[in-house]
Amino acid sequence: MVLGPGVGFLPISLGLLAAATFITTYIIAVVKGDTSVWFPYISDTGADSPESCIFGEFLNLSAFLAVATMYVRYKMVKAFVSEGQSRKITILNRVGMVFGVISVTGMTMVANFQETRVISVHLVGAAMVFGFGVLYALLQTSISFAMHPDYNGLYICRWRLAISLVSLISLTTTFIAGAIAREQWKGQAHHDHSTMKWDPKDAGYTAHAVSSVGEWVMAFAFLLYFFTFIRDFQKVSMEIQTHICVTHLDQIPVNGPDETTKLLV
């Protein structure tokens, strides 16, 4: 079986869907002339219609798969290591899940607020998805090392560390080079095109190219990091159990909520 047992299909689906989204929107944007062939940012390829529709829809689906993957990872670590066994791992696991949710929230902001429409929200979302994404990877790597040798091997720890460091270096490169590119762009007196169509003659083009490459490397490094969960997830099964507390839905469960119960306490 290609996907294997357990829930290994989650990180596989996430990686394939996100990669297909980036590649598809890039091809459409280049063919339509909405962005330059060389060194566009990922967001540049999903800024105009119809590629923006594809970018938003499938990035939202990717966000759902990402949070599901993170939740399975959280529950798996929790099942292996109880709080009584290692308080350190328990805390790292909880903080990692919070960082993961923040990162995924940023992904939905990037998907739904295109840079050509609401640039401020888009940039905040990008900072969230990449910044907290790197923190999530580093925390999960720390958890993997803490679980060695009792629950996982050293080989996977080293792989996750390598990918996390690549992501961290790419993040730093992307933001620093991007800031330099924007300042140099602003210093140029005249532009006959937008920053979605950088030209080699533009001031700041080299810094922009470095920043763009860093972003693409970081994005695919994230997907590769999720792929390191595949073999672990193939050894995990999850199920949803339904407990009926009444024999009729008009009945009120003992100590349970009713129609007058406040939603927020």
Side-chain angles (χ1 to χ4, degrees), residues 59-79:
L59 204 59
N60 281 326
L61 291 176
S62 297
F64 170 76
L65 291 172
V67 76
T69 300
M70 292 171 178
Y71 180 71
V72 172
R73 169 66 178 175
Y74 167 78
K75 294 293 288 185
M76 185 185 70
V77 172
K78 186 178 180 181

Side-chain angles (χ1 to χ4, degrees), residues 71-232:
Y71 180 71
V72 172
R73 169 66 178 175
Y74 167 78
K75 294 293 288 185
M76 185 185 70
V77 172
K78 186 178 180 181
F80 270 111
V81 185
S82 65
E83 187 170 358
Q85 292 176 295
S86 177
R87 182 167 177 78
K88 173 186 174 182
I89 294 178
T90 300
I91 293 175
L92 289 176
N93 196 32
R94 290 173 179 170
V95 175
M97 186 63 204
V98 172
F99 284 0
V101 171
I102 295 175
S103 178
V104 170
T105 302
M107 186 185 299
T108 62
M109 292 168 65
V110 169
N112 299 313
F113 297 88
Q114 284 80 28
E115 60 178 321
T116 54
R117 300 294 186 268
V118 192
I119 183 64
S120 57
V121 177
H122 184 88
L123 292 177
V124 170
M128 289 168 61
V129 65
F130 288 131
F132 283 94
V134 169
L135 291 175
Y136 176 81
L138 291 171
L139 280 175
Q140 293 302 320
T141 300
S142 299
I143 291 173
S144 298
F145 274 103
M147 292 177 66
H148 170 76
D150 295 331
Y151 304 105
N152 57 241
L154 187 60
Y155 181 77
I156 194 63
C157 297
R158 291 171 175 170
W159 266 108
R160 286 173 182 163
L161 177 61
I163 298 172
S164 299
L165 292 178
V166 169
S167 300
L168 179 60
I169 294 171
S170 299
L171 173 69
T172 306
T173 301
T174 297
F175 280 93
I176 293 178
I180 294 173
R182 284 192 297 274
E183 289 302 316
Q184 293 179 344
W185 169 275
K186 293 177 182 178
Q188 187 171 329
H190 174 71
H191 297 284
D192 57 2
H193 54 273
S194 70
T195 54
M196 290 178 60
K197 297 181 180 180
W198 282 80
D199 187 275
K201 297 179 182 178
D202 291 331
Y205 179 80
T206 300
H208 162 74
V210 172
S211 178
S212 175
V213 170
E215 184 189 44
W216 282 91
V217 170
M218 179 167 46
F220 279 92
F222 282 160
L223 301 182
L224 186 60
Y225 194 93
F226 282 114
F227 276 5
T228 67
F229 292 156
I230 294 174
R231 292 190 64 184
D232 294 348

Side-chain angles (χ1 to χ4, degrees), residues 25 46-60 111 114:
T25 54
D48 294 323
S49 180
E51 56 267 31
S52 62
C53 305
I54 299 172
F55 186 82
E57 176 67 19
F58 288 100
L59 204 59
N60 281 326
Q114 284 80 28

